[in-house]
């Protein structure tokens, strides 16, 4: 990392900045913003994990494009959450679990830890199964052959590559998620209907619309996404004068995730929805696309599903180890080697093993999605409350607390999601999987 002539900020390949040679009057160039894209983009891309893909596919199969406007409205909600998480990570130099612990709230810290672990383990299991299923669809083999090798490859990548290399690799891997966009184009949707569903609100009475809305918000505002955002800022120890660059990164990640969500809805709506095909998982969608939109569309969707799992799983596994290590005061960090932080890396192995056991137990995919929804409905509001409490703690934030406008937006999003999660949890308990 170095400074460029002219006293402008240079941002390293890993997305972290160096320093500002002159603190006043020097602009941050558009190239600086492009180079700053990194952790926030990865966090956003990890939100497109297979559980989210499956949820959107099921919604599109039943409503075609009618909920496109709801998908687009996810952007401001995710942008607010990720922006606050970025500020907390940069100001406190700690992950969310560490920030709550520093506020001397041991009971709440345990509650937060439990909520994150439950959501993460269930999501790991669902995403492992989906990643293995995607490999099975692409190769024509039984997916069970791929679950264990996928676990080993995941652990090897996280433990051996190191934070910077892993992040750089994931930045390129997330480009594969645009396979969903290609699948949407190959599906030949009626773009007039797509725009109508995306720009004109369609409100429906009945439980189906409400349940779809609850599922959509619950699966996209997942706790591991904003917890990872705090972790990545703390891991890189980004200096505060680069906070505008990192806020841009957070917004870019939220926008990227929303665009991928939208193309997913279009691809599934143009095929499954228009033809009235019933699906329960993303794997079903990839299979169903072949006879409807051709083999290329099905393969591209399966490729996107695999990329979704490969981007999301390292984030979820690392987040699990971080929050556990923070709570138990272990030495931790992806910049360390396994021999330097054995408990931290062992926690990663245990989380992946737990997910693998659930995968080979052959729990039906719809059951995994059901329990992921239940866990998320409980865990997400707890995490958001903790995030906003930390962001408003003057001593913890070193005086860099949220402004009134962002506080209002943050609490509005939190109250909305808490209400949605409460209704969603009730609906899931009453109706069942």
């Amino acid at each position: 990392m170095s400074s460029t002539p002219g006293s402008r900020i240079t941002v390293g390949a890993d997305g972290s900045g160096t320093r500002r040679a002159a603190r006043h009057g020097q602009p941050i160039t558009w190239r600086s913003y492009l180079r700053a894209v990194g952790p926030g983009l990865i966090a956003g891309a990890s939100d497109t994990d297979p559980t989210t893909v499956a949820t959107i596919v099921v919604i599109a199969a039943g409503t075609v494009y009618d909920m496109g406007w709801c998908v687009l409205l996810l952007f401001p909600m995710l942008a607010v959450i990720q922006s606050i998480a970025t500020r907390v990570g940069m100001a406190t130099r700690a992950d969310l679990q560490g920030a709550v612990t520093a506020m001397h709230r041991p009971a709440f810290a345990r509650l937060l830890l439990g909520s994150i672990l439950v959501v993460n383990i269930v999501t790991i299991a669902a995403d492992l199964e989906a990643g293995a299923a995607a490999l099975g669809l692409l190769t024509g083999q039984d997916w069970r052959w791929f679950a264990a090798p996928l676990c080993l490859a995941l652990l090897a990548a996280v433990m051996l590559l190191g934070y910077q290399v892993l992040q750089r690799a994931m930045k390129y891997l997330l480009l594969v998620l645009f396979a969903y966009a290609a699948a949407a184009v190959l599906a030949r949707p009626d773009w007039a209907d797509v725009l109508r569903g995306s720009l004109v609100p369609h409100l429906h009475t009945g439980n189906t619309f409400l349940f779809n809305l609850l599922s959509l918000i619950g699966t996209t505002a997942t706790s591991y996404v904003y917890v990872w955002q705090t972790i990545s800022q703390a891991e890189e120890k980004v200096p505060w004068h680069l906070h505008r660059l990192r806020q841009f990164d957070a917004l870019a990640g939220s926008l990227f995730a929303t665009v991928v969500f939208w193309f997913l809805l279009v691809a599934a709506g143009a095929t499954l929805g228009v033809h009235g095909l019933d699906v329960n998982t993303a794997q079903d969608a990839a299979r169903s696309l072949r006879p409807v939109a051709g083999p290329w569309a099905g393969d591209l969707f399966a490729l996107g599903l695999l990329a979704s799992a490969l981007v999301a799983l390292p984030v979820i596994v690392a987040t699990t180890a971080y929050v556990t290590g923070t709570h138990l005061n272990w030495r931790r960090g992806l910049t360390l080697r396994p021999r330097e932080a054995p408990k931290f890396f062992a926690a990663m192995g245990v989380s992946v093993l737990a997910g693998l056991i659930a995968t080979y137990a052959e729990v039906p995919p719809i059951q995994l999605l059901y329990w992921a929804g239940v866990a998320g409905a409980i865990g997400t509001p707890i995490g958001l409350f903790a995030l906003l409490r930390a962001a408003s703690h003057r001593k913890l934030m070193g005086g860099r607390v949220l402004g009134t406008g962002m506080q209002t937006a943050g609490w509005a999003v939190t109250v909305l999601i808490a209400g949605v999660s409460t209704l969603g949890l009730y609906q899931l308990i009453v109706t069942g999987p």
Side-chain angles (χ1 to χ4, degrees):
M1 297 184 293
S2 61
S3 297
T4 61
S7 301
R8 290 177 178 172
I9 296 174
T10 298
V11 180
D14 59 352
S16 62
T18 54
R19 60 184 178 86
R20 193 182 310 206
R23 297 248 175 194
H24 302 286
Q26 294 298 334
I28 298 175
T29 67
W30 65 270
R31 291 183 180 179
S32 298
Y33 280 98
L34 291 179
R35 291 168 182 167
V37 170
L41 191 60
I42 292 172
S46 72
D47 203 11
T48 64
D49 75 300
T51 60
T52 301
V53 174
T55 298
I56 293 176
V57 162
V58 171
I59 289 173
T63 66
V64 194
Y65 314 120
D66 281 0
M67 294 196 70
W69 64 280
C70 295
V71 170
L72 294 181
L73 285 178
L74 290 172
F75 171 65
M77 181 182 73
L78 295 176
V80 167
I81 295 172
Q82 292 300 88
S83 294
I84 296 173
T86 300
R87 192 177 188 91
V88 169
M90 291 188 68
T92 66
R93 298 290 181 91
D95 58 80
L96 181 58
Q97 186 72 31
V100 172
T101 302
M103 289 190 292
H104 306 293
R105 300 287 189 272
F108 190 71
R110 288 191 291 270
L111 177 63
L112 176 63
L113 176 66
S115 68
I116 293 172
L117 292 183
V118 170
V119 172
N120 284 9
I121 295 301
V122 175
T123 306
I124 287 170
D127 289 357
L128 275 175
E129 184 168 331
L135 285 169
L137 289 169
L138 290 170
T139 61
Q141 303 297 319
D142 191 328
W143 67 268
R144 295 172 185 82
W145 289 102
F146 299 102
L150 182 60
C151 283
L152 293 175
L154 169 65
L155 287 174
V158 173
M159 292 183 179
L160 301 178
L161 292 182
Y163 178 77
Q164 307 297 355
V165 176
L166 182 63
Q167 179 177 285
R168 197 176 300 119
M170 290 173 68
K171 284 172 67 174
Y172 290 106
L173 179 62
L174 61 84
L175 295 176
V176 182
L177 293 177
F178 283 113
Y180 291 130
V185 173
L186 289 174
R188 297 187 181 89
D190 184 328
W191 290 107
D193 286 346
V194 171
L195 291 176
R196 194 176 300 112
S198 299
L199 301 178
V200 180
H202 293 71
L203 297 174
H204 302 277
T205 58
N207 290 334
T208 300
F209 174 78
L210 176 61
F211 184 77
N212 286 339
L213 182 61
L214 301 176
S215 300
L216 182 64
I217 294 177
T219 194
T220 53
T222 316
S223 58
Y224 73 80
V225 179
Y226 53 85
V227 173
W228 174 256
Q229 187 71 358
T230 64
I231 290 170
S232 59
Q233 311 308 316
E235 180 82 13
E236 294 186 11
K237 296 180 175 58
V238 184
W240 181 255
H241 65 262
L242 297 180
H243 73 279
R244 283 199 298 165
L245 293 179
R246 283 310 170 101
Q247 292 290 350
F248 169 78
D249 184 30
L251 294 176
S254 301
L255 179 61
F256 178 86
T258 305
V259 170
V260 173
F261 298 157
W262 186 78
F263 275 120
L264 272 168
L265 186 86
V266 172
T271 51
L272 311 177
V274 169
H275 291 84
L277 300 177
D278 185 30
V279 297
N280 290 319
T281 68
Q283 298 93 293
D284 291 344
R287 294 189 193 96
S288 301
L289 277 170
R290 284 192 171 93
V292 174
W296 277 104
D299 289 343
L300 283 170
F301 197 94
L303 183 62
L305 183 61
L306 176 61
S308 299
L310 293 179
V311 171
L313 281 168
V315 170
I316 304 171
V317 170
T319 301
T320 303
Y322 261 101
V323 296
T324 304
T326 298
H327 190 76
L328 299 177
N329 199 27
W330 294 342
R331 192 181 186 197
R332 59 199 176 277
L334 289 175
T335 56
L336 302 174
R337 295 298 180 186
R339 66 177 179 276
E340 297 172 314
K343 294 179 181 179
F344 171 73
F345 285 96
M348 290 189 193
V350 170
S351 65
V352 173
L353 180 61
L356 184 63
I357 290 172
T359 298
Y360 278 122
E362 297 190 10
V363 179
I366 194 64
Q367 287 277 357
L368 283 175
L369 292 174
Y370 168 77
W371 288 111
V374 171
I378 297 172
T380 297
I382 296 173
L384 288 177
F385 179 80
L387 184 68
L388 281 161
R389 288 289 294 170
S392 303
H393 196 285
R394 187 167 297 277
K395 183 178 179 181
L396 180 68
M397 295 288 290
R400 299 184 176 111
V401 295
L402 290 176
T404 303
M406 187 59 77
Q407 279 196 38
T408 302
W411 283 113
V413 170
T414 301
V415 170
L416 171 65
I417 292 178
V420 163
S421 297
T422 301
L423 291 174
L425 183 60
Y426 172 78
Q427 183 96 349
L428 285 169
I429 291 174
V430 170
T431 61

